[in-house]
Structure formats: C-alpha cells, structure tokens
C-alpha cells in the first residue's frame, strides 16, 4: 500500500494527464503533504526554493510552466528519486513477504498485482 501511494504521488506530478486520467498537480492543488512534497521541502537548498514550492499549493489551475516549475522544485536535492527509491524498497519487502506463503495461484496473482501497481507509468 505504501509503495503504491508513493508511486501514485510521484505520477501525480511527473505522469502524463492523458495516460493517468487525472489532473497533474492534484495533490498540490489540494495541499496534500505527500512524502515527495515534504522531502522536497526538507532537501530544499534555499528558503527561496521552499517559498516557491509552497506558493504552488492551492492553485485552481496549473499552466505548463507551473507544472515544469513544480517538477523542478519537487526534484530538489533528489526528492523525486528518493521517493521512487523508497517505493522500490517497500515493493521488494512486500514481494519478499509473499514468499512466506506456499506457492499457489493467489500468491502469484498478488505478486503480479503488486508489480503492476508499483511499476506503472500511468
């Protein structure tokens, strides 16, 4: 669940609207404190960058330049990469735990579902 949410939050910024079917920057619009957002604030190199990122929150609409700026600021200090890395860590842990269950069709379905949900690009 955590791996899926991290990936979903990442795609909410870096994904493609036509593939996702949901608005890019929706979490920023709703002022959701995602891991990606909090990590970018923490890793921010300056107060100016933090203020720019905070200023993007709560807008009704986001232009292409707003989205580009959000992507740049949310990758500050590698926050976006760290988010994906953490999602991969949780995925690996979940896959490892599935190995405790005896081999069966349900286990393989869960493994396939987990891999799909956490590696999706849309």
């Amino acid at each position: 669940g955590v791996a899926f949410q991290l990936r979903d939050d990442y795609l909410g910024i870096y994904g493609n609207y036509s593939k996702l079917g949901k608005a890019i920057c929706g979490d920023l619009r709703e002022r959701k404190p995602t891991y990606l957002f909090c990590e970018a604030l923490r890793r921010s190199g300056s107060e100016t960058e933090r203020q720019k990122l905070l200023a993007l929150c709560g807008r009704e609409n986001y232009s292409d330049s707003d989205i580009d700026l959000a992507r740049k600021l949310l990758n500050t200090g590698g926050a976006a990469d760290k988010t994906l890395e953490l999602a991969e860590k949780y995925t690996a842990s979940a896959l490892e735990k599935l190995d405790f269950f005896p081999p069966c069709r349900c286990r393989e379905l869960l493994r396939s579902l987990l891999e799909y949900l956490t590696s999706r690009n849309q």
Side-chain angles (χ1 to χ4, degrees), residues 2-60:
V2 174
F4 169 80
Q5 191 60 58
L6 289 167
R7 183 78 179 166
D8 190 63
D9 294 345
Y10 174 88
L11 289 173
I13 297 295
Y14 295 96
N16 181 305
Y17 171 77
S18 63
K19 290 182 180 179
L20 283 177
K22 66 178 188 177
I24 302 300
C25 292
D27 290 338
L28 285 176
R29 178 180 298 108
E30 296 175 24
R31 300 175 191 259
K32 288 184 181 176
T34 65
Y35 175 85
L36 173 58
F37 180 80
C38 294
E39 191 67 8
L41 285 176
R42 188 180 75 75
R43 292 172 176 249
S44 181
S46 71
E47 184 60 28
T48 301
E49 287 179 345
R50 281 189 284 281
Q51 291 306 316
K52 285 180 182 178
L53 184 53
L54 290 168
L56 287 169
C57 294
R59 294 185 180 183
E60 190 64 33

Side-chain angles (χ1 to χ4, degrees), residues 3 6 82-96:
L6 289 167
K82 179 64 177 175
T83 300
L84 291 177
E85 179 184 307
L86 191 57
E88 289 172 14
K89 178 182 166 192
Y90 278 108
T91 300
S93 176
L95 287 169
E96 186 178 297

Side-chain angles (χ1 to χ4, degrees), residues 56-74:
L56 287 169
C57 294
R59 294 185 180 183
E60 190 64 33
N61 296 304
Y62 292 84
S63 67
D64 288 344
S65 62
D66 291 335
I67 293 170
D68 289 343
L69 178 60
R71 288 173 173 166
K72 178 183 172 206
L73 293 169
L74 287 166

